[in-house]
Amino acid sequence: QVQLVESGGGLVQAGGSLRLSCAASGLTFSSYNMGWFRQAPGKEREFVAAISWVGRSTYYADSVKGRFTISRDNAKNTAYLQMNSLKPEDTAVYYCAADHRGILPTSSPPYWGQGTQVTVSS
């Protein structure tokens, strides 16, 4: 079955960086668009970033544009989210997702990881 496993979360001070990874199995990774979403306590899940199956197109939420970079390595079946200049408001559980269709802020991809906690202290 399809599995998406996130890693790389943790506690970091404001202004710091983290790199999240999403290892995929059970699917033809290079045929799927990949996305990152996050959910903070008491808030709804929100879109963070997406990347096309080839990696040519990327899309970011305004709140992370210029600070976060999404990428993928199809040879390793892995997607990444490089997060720089982190702010306390970036604190959330981060989830990766996979979809044959393009991933947009309103998307509901069929496949999700279990999430990884990112905590940014002020």
Side-chain angles (χ1 to χ4, degrees), residues 36 47-51 57-71 80-82 103 105:
W36 289 92
F47 168 82
V48 176
I51 187 167
S57 298
T58 57
Y59 182 45
Y60 297 92
D62 287 343
S63 58
V64 307
K65 206 172 291 183
R67 300 187 298 122
F68 291 11
T69 302
I70 188 171
S71 62
Y80 304 96
L81 185 68
Q82 177 67 44
I103 294 177

Short mmCIF file of all heavy atoms in Angstrom, two decimals, residues 36 47-51 57-71 80-82 103 105:
data_model
loop_
_atom_site.label_atom_id
_atom_site.label_comp_id
_atom_site.label_asym_id
_atom_site.label_seq_id
_atom_site.Cartn_x
_atom_site.Cartn_y
_atom_site.Cartn_z
N TRP A 36 3.01 19.81 0.55
CA TRP A 36 3.15 19.92 2.00
C TRP A 36 2.01 20.78 2.54
O TRP A 36 1.70 21.83 1.98
CB TRP A 36 4.49 20.54 2.39
CG TRP A 36 5.67 19.64 2.16
CD1 TRP A 36 6.45 19.59 1.03
CD2 TRP A 36 6.20 18.68 3.06
NE1 TRP A 36 7.43 18.65 1.19
CE2 TRP A 36 7.30 18.07 2.43
CE3 TRP A 36 5.86 18.26 4.35
CZ2 TRP A 36 8.07 17.08 3.04
CZ3 TRP A 36 6.62 17.27 4.96
CH2 TRP A 36 7.71 16.70 4.30
N PHE A 47 -2.53 24.74 3.28
CA PHE A 47 -1.56 24.43 2.23
C PHE A 47 -0.26 25.19 2.47
O PHE A 47 -0.29 26.35 2.89
CB PHE A 47 -2.16 24.80 0.88
CG PHE A 47 -1.20 24.80 -0.26
CD1 PHE A 47 -0.88 23.62 -0.91
CD2 PHE A 47 -0.61 25.97 -0.70
CE1 PHE A 47 0.00 23.61 -1.99
CE2 PHE A 47 0.26 25.98 -1.76
CZ PHE A 47 0.57 24.79 -2.41
N VAL A 48 0.86 24.54 2.20
CA VAL A 48 2.17 25.19 2.33
C VAL A 48 2.86 25.30 0.98
O VAL A 48 3.25 26.39 0.57
CB VAL A 48 3.07 24.42 3.32
CG1 VAL A 48 4.46 25.04 3.37
CG2 VAL A 48 2.45 24.37 4.70
N ALA A 49 3.03 24.17 0.28
CA ALA A 49 3.76 24.19 -0.98
C ALA A 49 3.43 22.95 -1.78
O ALA A 49 2.99 21.94 -1.21
CB ALA A 49 5.26 24.28 -0.73
N ALA A 50 3.65 23.01 -3.09
CA ALA A 50 3.43 21.86 -3.96
C ALA A 50 4.46 21.87 -5.07
O ALA A 50 5.00 22.93 -5.44
CB ALA A 50 2.02 21.87 -4.53
N ILE A 51 4.71 20.68 -5.62
CA ILE A 51 5.67 20.54 -6.71
C ILE A 51 5.12 19.53 -7.69
O ILE A 51 4.51 18.52 -7.30
CB ILE A 51 7.06 20.11 -6.16
CG1 ILE A 51 8.11 20.13 -7.27
CG2 ILE A 51 7.00 18.76 -5.47
CD1 ILE A 51 9.54 20.05 -6.74
N SER A 57 7.44 22.66 -11.85
CA SER A 57 6.54 23.70 -11.33
C SER A 57 6.43 23.60 -9.83
O SER A 57 6.29 22.50 -9.27
CB SER A 57 5.15 23.53 -11.95
OG SER A 57 5.21 23.69 -13.35
N THR A 58 6.50 24.73 -9.17
CA THR A 58 6.30 24.80 -7.73
C THR A 58 5.30 25.89 -7.41
O THR A 58 5.10 26.82 -8.20
CB THR A 58 7.62 25.08 -6.98
OG1 THR A 58 8.19 26.30 -7.48
CG2 THR A 58 8.61 23.95 -7.16
N TYR A 59 4.67 25.76 -6.26
CA TYR A 59 3.63 26.70 -5.86
C TYR A 59 3.69 26.83 -4.34
O TYR A 59 3.82 25.82 -3.65
CB TYR A 59 2.28 26.17 -6.32
CG TYR A 59 1.09 27.03 -6.03
CD1 TYR A 59 1.11 28.40 -6.25
CD2 TYR A 59 -0.09 26.47 -5.53
CE1 TYR A 59 0.00 29.18 -5.99
CE2 TYR A 59 -1.20 27.25 -5.27
CZ TYR A 59 -1.15 28.59 -5.50
OH TYR A 59 -2.26 29.37 -5.23
N TYR A 60 3.62 28.06 -3.84
CA TYR A 60 3.78 28.30 -2.41
C TYR A 60 2.64 29.15 -1.86
O TYR A 60 2.11 30.03 -2.54
CB TYR A 60 5.09 29.03 -2.13
CG TYR A 60 6.32 28.25 -2.51
CD1 TYR A 60 6.90 28.38 -3.77
CD2 TYR A 60 6.91 27.36 -1.60
CE1 TYR A 60 8.03 27.65 -4.12
CE2 TYR A 60 8.04 26.64 -1.94
CZ TYR A 60 8.59 26.79 -3.21
OH TYR A 60 9.70 26.07 -3.54
N ALA A 61 2.33 28.92 -0.61
CA ALA A 61 1.44 29.82 0.10
C ALA A 61 2.17 31.14 0.31
O ALA A 61 3.40 31.16 0.48
CB ALA A 61 1.04 29.22 1.45
N ASP A 62 1.42 32.23 0.29
CA ASP A 62 2.05 33.54 0.46
C ASP A 62 2.82 33.63 1.76
O ASP A 62 3.85 34.31 1.84
CB ASP A 62 0.97 34.63 0.42
CG ASP A 62 0.43 34.86 -0.99
OD1 ASP A 62 1.08 34.42 -1.96
OD2 ASP A 62 -0.64 35.46 -1.11
N SER A 63 2.35 32.95 2.78
CA SER A 63 2.96 33.05 4.11
C SER A 63 4.36 32.45 4.17
O SER A 63 5.13 32.75 5.10
CB SER A 63 2.07 32.37 5.15
OG SER A 63 1.86 31.00 4.81
N VAL A 64 4.72 31.60 3.22
CA VAL A 64 6.03 30.95 3.24
C VAL A 64 6.90 31.30 2.03
O VAL A 64 8.07 30.91 1.98
CB VAL A 64 5.90 29.42 3.35
CG1 VAL A 64 5.03 29.04 4.54
CG2 VAL A 64 5.37 28.81 2.06
N LYS A 65 6.32 32.01 1.09
CA LYS A 65 7.05 32.35 -0.13
C LYS A 65 8.32 33.12 0.20
O LYS A 65 8.31 34.05 1.01
CB LYS A 65 6.15 33.18 -1.04
CG LYS A 65 6.47 33.10 -2.51
CD LYS A 65 5.41 33.80 -3.33
CE LYS A 65 4.10 33.06 -3.30
NZ LYS A 65 3.06 33.68 -4.15
N GLY A 66 9.43 32.69 -0.39
CA GLY A 66 10.71 33.34 -0.13
C GLY A 66 11.46 32.76 1.05
O GLY A 66 12.65 33.04 1.23
N ARG A 67 10.80 31.96 1.86
CA ARG A 67 11.45 31.34 3.03
C ARG A 67 11.54 29.83 2.90
O ARG A 67 12.50 29.22 3.38
CB ARG A 67 10.68 31.69 4.31
CG ARG A 67 10.59 33.16 4.60
CD ARG A 67 9.97 33.42 5.98
NE ARG A 67 8.60 32.92 6.10
CZ ARG A 67 8.21 32.03 7.00
NH1 ARG A 67 9.08 31.52 7.86
NH2 ARG A 67 6.93 31.63 7.04
N PHE A 68 10.53 29.21 2.30
CA PHE A 68 10.48 27.75 2.14
C PHE A 68 10.75 27.38 0.69
O PHE A 68 10.36 28.10 -0.22
CB PHE A 68 9.11 27.22 2.53
CG PHE A 68 8.78 27.30 4.00
CD1 PHE A 68 9.55 28.01 4.89
CD2 PHE A 68 7.67 26.63 4.50
CE1 PHE A 68 9.23 28.08 6.24
CE2 PHE A 68 7.33 26.68 5.85
CZ PHE A 68 8.12 27.43 6.71
N THR A 69 11.37 26.21 0.51
CA THR A 69 11.61 25.69 -0.83
C THR A 69 11.23 24.22 -0.87
O THR A 69 11.73 23.42 -0.06
CB THR A 69 13.08 25.83 -1.23
OG1 THR A 69 13.47 27.20 -1.17
CG2 THR A 69 13.31 25.31 -2.65
N ILE A 70 10.36 23.88 -1.81
CA ILE A 70 9.97 22.49 -2.00
C ILE A 70 10.80 21.91 -3.14
O ILE A 70 11.09 22.60 -4.12
CB ILE A 70 8.46 22.35 -2.28
CG1 ILE A 70 8.03 20.88 -2.28
CG2 ILE A 70 8.06 23.05 -3.58
CD1 ILE A 70 6.53 20.67 -2.33
N SER A 71 11.20 20.65 -2.99
CA SER A 71 11.97 19.98 -4.03
C SER A 71 11.67 18.49 -3.97
O SER A 71 10.97 18.03 -3.06
CB SER A 71 13.47 20.24 -3.86
OG SER A 71 13.93 19.73 -2.62
N TYR A 80 11.07 17.03 -0.42
CA TYR A 80 11.69 17.79 0.66
C TYR A 80 11.00 19.14 0.84
O TYR A 80 10.40 19.68 -0.09
CB TYR A 80 13.17 18.04 0.35
CG TYR A 80 13.96 16.80 0.08
CD1 TYR A 80 14.18 16.36 -1.22
CD2 TYR A 80 14.50 16.05 1.13
CE1 TYR A 80 14.91 15.22 -1.47
CE2 TYR A 80 15.23 14.91 0.89
CZ TYR A 80 15.44 14.49 -0.41
OH TYR A 80 16.15 13.35 -0.65
N LEU A 81 11.13 19.67 2.04
CA LEU A 81 10.70 21.04 2.30
C LEU A 81 11.80 21.71 3.13
O LEU A 81 11.97 21.38 4.31
CB LEU A 81 9.37 21.10 3.04
CG LEU A 81 8.80 22.50 3.24
CD1 LEU A 81 8.38 23.10 1.88
CD2 LEU A 81 7.60 22.49 4.20
N GLN A 82 12.55 22.59 2.48
CA GLN A 82 13.58 23.35 3.17
C GLN A 82 12.93 24.59 3.75
O GLN A 82 12.33 25.38 3.00
CB GLN A 82 14.70 23.74 2.20
CG GLN A 82 15.78 24.61 2.82
CD GLN A 82 16.59 23.87 3.87
OE1 GLN A 82 16.98 22.73 3.67
NE2 GLN A 82 16.85 24.53 5.00
N ILE A 103 -1.77 19.75 -7.07
CA ILE A 103 -2.11 20.05 -5.68
C ILE A 103 -2.23 21.56 -5.51
O ILE A 103 -1.28 22.30 -5.77
CB ILE A 103 -1.06 19.46 -4.73
CG1 ILE A 103 -1.10 17.93 -4.80
CG2 ILE A 103 -1.31 19.94 -3.30
CD1 ILE A 103 -0.06 17.23 -3.95
N PRO A 105 -4.21 24.83 -2.95
CA PRO A 105 -4.60 25.05 -1.55
C PRO A 105 -5.91 24.39 -1.15
O PRO A 105 -6.10 24.03 0.01
CB PRO A 105 -4.72 26.58 -1.47
CG PRO A 105 -3.72 27.06 -2.46
CD PRO A 105 -3.78 26.07 -3.60
#
